[in-house]
Amino acid sequence: MADTLIDVKDLRIHFFTDEGVVRAVGGVDLAITRGKTLALVGESGCGKSVACRALLNIVHRPGKIVSGEIIFHRMFHQSSGSGSDASVDIAELNPKGREIRDIRGKEIAMIFQEPMTSFSSMYTIGNQIMENILLHTNLSKQEARILTIELLDKVGIPKPSRLIDEYPFRLSGGMRQRAMIAMALSCSPTLLIADEPTTALDVTTQANILDLMQNLQKQYEMTLLFITHDLGVVAEIADEVAVMYLGKIIEKSDVFTLFNSPAHPYTQALLKSVPKIAMTREALDPIKGMVPNPYSRPSGCPFHPRCPKAFAACKTIVPKTTSLGLHHTVQCLLYEDVTERQATEALS
Ligand code: SF4
């Protein structure tokens, strides 16, 4: 069985608007390891949610996957108990076709920040969870109802046999998020994508939901892709971390390396801007400047207008991915031989 569950290669997603083209994802390379938790971190608008939606091929117009590959290494279980491997390029699939509809909700499931945008307020949570089960399995309606009650119980919803018939708007935010997790787990997905699932919750509920997700990940042997801008959550949940800035993965490593020896000036600035106990408000060290206008990306390194370590070449040369060790990569000219790059580019 391949160690890599999803291999994203040079993924580019553009939005074609009346004002111009927004390059929301500009050449992302990312390998998601089977059974691990990968946290995708970055400021709002850096392209992390769009990149993750592409894993389900749900980039809506005016957005479009313009190039790149999303290789999903699927695992089919045979009656003998053994498994067989098959790979599919999700970027190549028809977004409305049979194959991607088989994958969505069954092999790859997603939970969102605000469950009310995913649940319809017109149907009970039980109806909506059962619909997913009936779509992807051969269970009868009665069996699907029993499974739904079991799932609601597993995610900590009290009196599940009664609450299965409740409408989403009658539940609290924490309970709705638990119901959303139950729906995502209903077909035992290989990959669960969680898009800021705890951002809208208070800290106590947030801690409970994180614990729940970690326990369920072990029980279901799932791979977890966790999108967040909260480094506290990353430290709690992640095995590996990818930091995104303006549509690119600018640093990736295991969680310990990232927190102990961050290499990219943006990652260093992100970590410095996290408030610590005993810090005064004045001592906070925010990242200078603003995220650039999406219609006019800076030339060279996209972080150069805000980077405290920028030098002349940063305005013109786009950094390449440099390996700093096992599973630790960075995109920054501080780790490249800039003179050699300038000489090569002058010749070409
Ligand atoms: Fe800063 Fe230059 Fe590195 Fe970009 S390439 S992060 S501007 S030092």
Side-chain angles (χ1 to χ4, degrees):
M1 182 169 34
D3 271 353
T4 303
L5 179 67
I6 293 203
D7 213 351
V8 178
K9 293 178 186 161
D10 197 26
L11 180 66
R12 289 168 197 273
I13 303 170
H14 294 176
F15 283 77
F16 298 90
T17 69
D18 291 342
E19 289 79 29
V21 177
V22 176
R23 291 169 174 78
V25 177
V28 159
D29 292 296
L30 189 66
I32 304 176
T33 313
R34 207 179 280 275
K36 300 278 186 198
T37 299
L38 170 68
L40 191 55
V41 189
E43 287 167 292
S44 299
C46 71
K48 51 191 192 310
S49 293
V50 177
C52 289
R53 290 173 90 88
L55 302 187
L56 286 166
N57 206 330
I58 45 172
V59 180
H60 298 303
R61 283 168 63 181
K64 190 170 187 279
I65 299 176
V66 291
S67 65
E69 294 179 349
I70 303 167
I71 309 297
F72 177 34
H73 299 283
R74 302 171 84 179
M75 177 58 62
F76 295 105
H77 293 285
Q78 290 160 349
S79 46
S80 60
S82 61
S84 69
D85 237 327
S87 300
V88 59
D89 182 356
I90 290 177
E92 283 285 300
L93 298 180
N94 173 359
K96 293 185 179 156
R98 180 67 200 251
E99 197 165 3
I100 190 67
R101 284 192 284 126
D102 277 350
I103 292 173
R104 278 187 210 132
K106 185 180 180 202
E107 293 172 65
I108 305 179
M110 189 158 181
I111 53 179
F112 299 91
Q113 182 177 340
E114 179 37 81
M116 275 312 278
T117 57
S118 315
F119 276 128
S120 163
S121 51
M122 307 287 286
Y123 299 93
T124 63
I125 55 166
N127 266 332
Q128 296 178 67
I129 298 173
M130 283 166 61
E131 187 184 10
N132 194 44
I133 297 171
L134 294 171
L135 186 69
H136 291 297
T137 69
N138 295 322
L139 295 184
S140 67
K141 224 170 167 181
Q142 187 55 29
E143 290 166 330
R145 185 173 170 90
I146 293 169
L147 177 59
T148 302
I149 293 172
E150 280 173 19
L151 284 163
L152 292 175
D153 187 38
K154 202 168 247 181
V155 298
I157 290 198
K159 301 192 182 85
S161 47
R162 189 170 64 78
L163 284 183
I164 187 174
D165 296 318
E166 277 298 356
Y167 289 88
F169 59 84
R170 303 246 310 161
L171 303 182
S172 67
M175 284 298 146
R176 270 201 299 268
Q177 198 54 288
R178 284 175 193 269
M180 186 78 236
I181 294 171
M183 180 149 84
L185 295 179
S186 58
C187 294
S188 307
T190 326
L191 172 66
L192 177 61
I193 303 172
D195 188 356
E196 311 226 21
T198 56
T199 306
L201 304 174
D202 62 79
V203 280
T204 317
T205 313
Q206 175 173 324
N208 291 337
I209 295 284
L210 287 179
D211 280 348
L212 173 69
M213 290 186 70
Q214 281 176 304
N215 289 335
L216 293 171
Q217 184 194 15
K218 281 190 203 118
Q219 274 180 45
Y220 284 77
E221 297 178 352
M222 277 182 310
T223 306
L224 192 55
L225 174 56
F226 205 96
I227 308 167
T228 183
H229 59 260
D230 185 338
L231 289 167
V233 170
V234 174
E236 175 110 351
I237 203 165
D239 298 303
E240 297 167 327
V241 190
V243 183
M244 217 167 160
Y245 187 77
L246 274 192
K248 286 179 179 263
I249 305 285
I250 47 106
E251 183 161 10
K252 183 175 181 239
S253 76
D254 65 82
V255 69
F256 297 105
T257 307
L258 193 105
F259 277 85
N260 292 324
S261 3
H264 196 283
Y266 176 64
T267 317
Q268 292 165 357
L270 270 185
L271 289 170
K272 264 203 226 158
S273 64
V274 176
K276 295 176 186 66
I277 294 173
M279 227 179 187
T280 62
R281 186 179 166 147
E282 291 70 36
L284 269 180
D285 194 0
I287 301 175
K288 309 271 182 304
M290 302 280 290
V291 177
N293 181 335
Y295 294 104
S296 59
R297 292 167 66 93
S299 59
C301 169
F303 189 52
H304 85 255
R306 307 170 73 189
C307 180
K309 297 184 180 171
F311 51 102
C314 301
K315 289 187 182 164
T316 52
I317 301 181
V318 180
K320 289 182 180 166
T321 303
T322 307
S323 173
L324 299 180
L326 195 62
H327 310 308
H328 187 187
T329 58
V330 67
Q331 286 189 353
C332 171
L333 294 179
L334 291 173
Y335 305 91
E336 284 190 55
D337 186 338
V338 173
T339 323
E340 192 182 289
R341 282 266 321 256
Q342 281 167 328
T344 320
E345 276 161 29
L347 286 175
S348 57

